[in-house]
Amino acid sequence: MKVLVIGSGGREHAVCLSFIKSKNIEKVYCAPGNAGISKIAETADIGVNDFENLAKFVRDNNIDFTFVGPEIPLSQGITDYFEEKGLKIVGPSKQASMLESSKIFSKEFMNKYGVPTAQFNKFSDAAAALAFLSLCEKDKKIVVKADGLAAGKGVYVCSGREEAENAVEQIMNDKVLGNAGTNIIIEEYIDGPELSYLIFTDGISYRMMPASQDHKRINDNDEGPNTGGMGAYSPAPLATPQLNKKVE
Amino acid sequence: MEGIKKEGFEYKGVLYVGVIMNGGEPYVLEFNCRFGDPETQAVLPLLDTDLSDICQAVMNKELSKIEIKWKKETAVCVVIASGGYPQKFESGFEIKGLENVKDENTTVYHAGTKIKDGKFVTAGGRVLGITSIAGDVKSAIDKVYSQVKLISFENIHYRKDIAWRALNEKQN
């Protein structure tokens, strides 16, 4: 079989390597890939949102299926586009991707199905958000999040009301995150260690992968600004079998 | 998962659930609809089942029919970044020492790299991810940092405390 991996980061390098180790895969393609990936797979200079040319590339090269790495093409419906054309692809539909691409959609989904999560309020205009904040305790930590995709920059953990007001101004009035910040949520701050669970699913059943922890801050001791992630390890000892069961 | 089924979502892929622990209870912070980066570089090296078999099962909605095996080891991934990231940083520096990473339990993943005049140069904030796997956390940490040290470029930056929390919890 032949597979196309879409994306260009370390994540896609890891996915390509796993496919290369597969006994069923004779050739791995990656679009657009990067310099490291070009040493192990055939890379094609096609953007991750150029669905038409990606589909054409798949057809021209008789590629059996496609694996999507990043969130942007998923949120724009690459899966729906490929499936309409009869091409096989691993990745959720545009609608299902809203679990990531809209924080409001995601939080309402959690509430509807009893998934424990921080309490939140949603806002579509800055005045209402600021009015809400004026009723909050002055020095209580609070979180302001842009509704849309913001490449990891859409979450403001604020030390109190003043910082939260600034975050609302920046996101909704100054539009520093563009359309991602048209709507926002304000939610309670929960303190504690974080864990990442990755799950394979076909929409009916699921299989959990070993839990991992990542390190978001740039410097040692979790200091400095947030990044896309500076390292990770798995399995995380914090993830006891009992906890894994609860998360399931 | 119940919700995804009930809503009739077409969900064939990877779901990422970010959880925060408070008072012994997990709260969901966020869902992502794909593999995390760099978590993937710490999880996939432990996979002991053919990824293409899993993908076929996912696409055919037959995931319940397969068992997925994982290596009973620990993987630690250290990201090597350009100094200045996540703010302003410079690119285009030659990456030296890649050929010295020969350990069979270590993998170098490229993120922001380019080839210029036949040499790898930096081309992004996060440049490389180095993952080592070993029988326990301590050995994996020691191994990965022994390999990270082999790599150099101008303004290199990486954290020296990746997986510290795992070590502390082991000791407690």
Side-chain angles (χ1 to χ4, degrees):
Chain A
M1 279 192 295
K2 296 180 187 173
V3 61
L4 169 66
V5 176
I6 294 178
S8 62
R11 163 181 58 203
E12 286 76 17
H13 196 167
V15 171
C16 285
L17 259 183
S18 288
F19 281 131
I20 281 162
K21 286 183 200 147
S22 162
K23 58 184 190 313
N24 307 318
I25 303 283
E26 53 184 287
K27 186 152 190 184
V28 180
Y29 297 86
C30 187
N34 61 36
I37 294 173
S38 73
K39 297 286 175 188
I40 60 165
E42 186 175 322
T43 52
D45 193 12
I46 309 171
V48 299
N49 295 320
D50 186 354
F51 298 170
E52 202 182 315
N53 280 311
L54 288 169
K56 183 172 182 300
F57 184 79
V58 165
R59 282 234 186 78
D60 291 349
N61 292 285
N62 294 314
I63 292 169
D64 296 275
F65 72 98
T66 300
F67 188 101
V68 189
E71 63 275 22
I72 304 271
L74 290 168
S75 73
Q76 294 185 0
I78 190 169
T79 301
D80 313 68
Y81 184 89
F82 268 51
E83 287 188 339
E84 256 171 46
K85 298 212 168 324
L87 303 173
K88 296 182 84 178
I89 185 161
V90 180
S93 66
K94 182 174 182 175
Q95 188 199 26
S97 301
M98 282 178 73
L99 286 174
E100 173 167 6
S101 63
S102 165
K103 293 224 157 55
I104 294 173
F105 178 86
S106 180
K107 295 289 280 193
E108 288 176 344
F109 175 91
M110 289 186 230
N111 280 352
K112 186 169 172 188
Y113 292 100
V115 178
T117 187
Q119 287 186 13
F120 77 104
N121 288 279
K122 57 176 177 179
F123 299 96
S124 55
D125 77 82
L130 294 171
F132 171 81
L133 283 173
S134 69
L135 302 173
C136 295
E137 280 175 59
K138 190 170 166 285
D139 294 317
K140 196 173 167 193
K141 275 192 169 181
I142 194 155
V143 184
V144 179
K145 292 179 175 175
D147 176 54
L149 291 177
K153 297 185 193 98
V155 179
Y156 291 68
V157 178
C158 306
S159 62
R161 191 194 296 158
E162 203 179 307
E163 258 187 65
E165 285 168 352
N166 285 337
V168 170
E169 295 278 357
Q170 281 182 31
I171 300 172
M172 299 192 90
N173 290 341
D174 305 343
K175 301 206 174 301
V176 291
L177 303 170
N179 286 336
T182 304
N183 296 297
I184 60 162
I185 62 176
I186 298 180
E187 68 174 31
E188 63 168 330
Y189 171 78
I190 298 180
D191 194 19
E194 293 179 25
L195 268 176
S196 304
Y197 283 91
L198 286 163
I199 297 163
F200 288 114
T201 178
D202 57 7
I204 303 162
S205 50
Y206 61 92
R207 293 279 185 271
M208 286 176 71
M209 304 181 217
S212 55
Q213 273 192 303
D214 79 341
H215 300 251
K216 285 259 177 269
R217 303 298 190 99
I218 184 76
N219 293 324
D220 288 0
N221 304 315
D222 289 333
E223 286 170 8
N226 269 331
T227 69
M230 292 303 291
Y233 59 98
S234 175
L238 189 63
T240 57
Q242 296 93 303
L243 177 62
N244 293 347
K245 202 85 226 155
K246 251 185 213 169
V247 173
E248 277 189 45
Chain B
M1 284 313 305
E2 199 53 35
I4 287 179
K5 235 188 283 180
K6 281 210 184 115
E7 297 278 333
F9 286 164
E10 273 296 311
Y11 205 117
K12 293 181 282 187
V14 174
L15 177 69
Y16 166 111
V17 185
V19 165
I20 191 156
M21 296 300 301
N22 186 278
E25 293 296 321
Y27 291 84
V28 173
L29 277 180
E30 61 173 352
F31 292 122
N32 289 172
C33 56
R34 34 82 197 179
F35 270 127
D37 191 335
E39 290 93 333
T40 304
Q41 293 90 301
V43 170
L44 276 185
L46 300 174
L47 181 62
D48 216 7
T49 297
D50 194 320
L51 182 61
S52 75
D53 288 341
I54 300 172
C55 288
Q56 293 304 318
V58 163
M59 288 188 292
N60 298 328
K61 299 197 178 192
E62 291 178 338
L63 191 60
S64 61
K65 291 185 185 164
I66 65 164
E67 191 196 344
I68 300 177
K69 292 197 182 112
W70 300 93
K71 290 177 189 151
K72 299 256 177 286
E73 286 173 286
T74 296
V76 176
C77 174
V78 176
V79 170
I80 303 185
S82 301
Y85 171 79
Q87 279 107 26
K88 242 178 89 183
F89 59 85
E90 282 178 67
S91 288
F93 299 121
E94 185 188 344
I95 304 167
K96 294 176 187 154
L98 282 168
E99 66 286 355
N100 298 331
V101 181
K102 294 183 191 130
D103 178 67
E104 57 175 9
N105 293 314
T106 299
T107 312
V108 178
Y109 300 106
H110 290 241
T113 65
K114 257 196 337 209
I115 297 174
K116 197 178 155 198
D117 305 328
K119 288 170 182 160
F120 284 111
V121 298
T122 62
R126 293 189 291 170
V127 176
L128 301 166
I130 317 281
T131 301
S132 294
I133 62 175
D136 60 83
V137 187
K138 175 87 174 61
S139 317
I141 293 173
D142 291 345
K143 168 76 75 190
V144 75
Y145 279 109
S146 73
Q147 304 300 301
V148 165
K149 280 191 194 119
L150 302 173
I151 291 170
S152 63
F153 55 81
E154 223 171 298
N155 292 340
I156 191 169
H157 175 79
Y158 56 87
R159 280 181 61 159
K160 294 166 187 69
D161 65 348
I162 299 301
W164 62 271
R165 191 171 266 138
L167 258 191
N168 288 353
E169 271 150 24
K170 275 270 152 75
Q171 283 159 2
N172 288 341

